[in-house]
Amino acid sequence: MSKATKRKHVAKEVLDDYVLPEGKQEIVKVVASRGNNLHEVETCSGEKYLASMPTKFRKNVWIKRGNFIMIEPIEEGDKVKAEIVTILYKEQIKYIKEEGFWPKEFADELHSGKNGMMISADLLPPSDDESDSDVDTNLVVNLNRVYINYEESEDESSDDGFGELAAESNGAAGS
């Protein structure tokens, strides 16, 4: 099987398969990526340990901090205590919640916006119900940009604005 075909099948499996935890499998939250295909995860009880990414997911699927994954415990390791079974996306999480397998401790995080699904109020722009004078005072001025005020004066007769520049360059060429 070529690399492109393998990548296509792995991506299809991760995105389209709706699986429920079976046996010792557990849903955990990714806290950090530790490199070398290891991810620090946190269980619903607050325990933190490392989980390894299987070979089939490497360079095909990416996991970021805050994602939820399904893991299966392994007995061999001291630090690495689990292997990733699948990465859970929005629709898969919704399916697991409907089936009643979603941990109650993580349900609070989804609603409070800690997973990056919602934007906090202090990051949002002011609402439209404020008066125009209040909005002008709340605007932030970019100090890194020089603002030039272009105003036409009535004493200039040049339409294109290059009349004086052209006259200067012609006078310099004549001397």
Side-chain angles (χ1 to χ4, degrees), residues 146-163:
V146 177
Y147 290 101
I148 301 173
N149 195 2
Y150 293 103
E151 294 181 9
E152 289 187 29
S153 62
E154 295 178 15
D155 60 333
E156 289 185 27
S157 61
S158 175
D159 291 336
D160 58 1
F162 294 108

Side-chain angles (χ1 to χ4, degrees), residues 12 23 25 30 68 71 145-146 164:
K12 186 177 183 335
Q25 292 179 349
V30 176
F68 291 97
I71 53 109
R145 182 175 296 274
V146 177
E164 292 178 18

